[in-house]
Amino acid sequence: MREWRTDFSDKFSYRSSEGAKMLSSHLAELVEQNHLAWHAFAKGDPEPLKYLYSRQDDVIIANPFGPPAKGSNNAAATMDRAATHYRDGEATGFERISEYARRI
């Protein structure tokens, strides 16, 4: 399994003729980073998952351990609390239903 990275978020703003190909590979990398973040979360570490979430005030997160939370700070606190319910776990699989990416 690959290591968690934090230096990929700027790759979604490419505007080259290779854009579609680059976008596809960057989307695949982001999906992989998301899977790694869920593996960490299952071990009680919410930080990689929090890194992937929006830091805007309109972000909303819902989880089975409490009410939905709106706003970046509330969402982060909710993830922190939810992660305390896990340790030494593992994400056993992911099902991709669809994917979509666009150049910005």
Side-chain angles (χ1 to χ4, degrees), residues 34-89:
N34 184 59
H35 292 175
L36 292 171
W38 279 109
H39 283 291
F41 193 87
K43 294 186 182 310
D45 180 7
E47 294 307 316
L49 192 61
K50 286 169 36 178
Y51 179 81
L52 294 176
Y53 268 72
S54 171
R55 285 154 191 78
Q56 302 299 312
D57 288 334
D58 64 350
V59 67
I60 297 175
I61 184 171
N63 75 85
F65 303 112
K70 183 178 180 187
S72 181
N73 291 337
N74 292 332
T78 296
M79 284 186 255
D80 287 337
R81 278 191 306 278
T84 66
H85 294 275
Y86 300 97
R87 71 166 190 236
D88 299 326

Side-chain angles (χ1 to χ4, degrees), residues 15-32:
R15 295 177 189 247
S16 71
S17 60
E18 295 282 316
K21 206 182 302 182
M22 291 169 60
L23 187 61
S24 178
S25 78
H26 295 310
L27 177 60
E29 185 174 351
L30 182 60
V31 167
E32 180 179 3

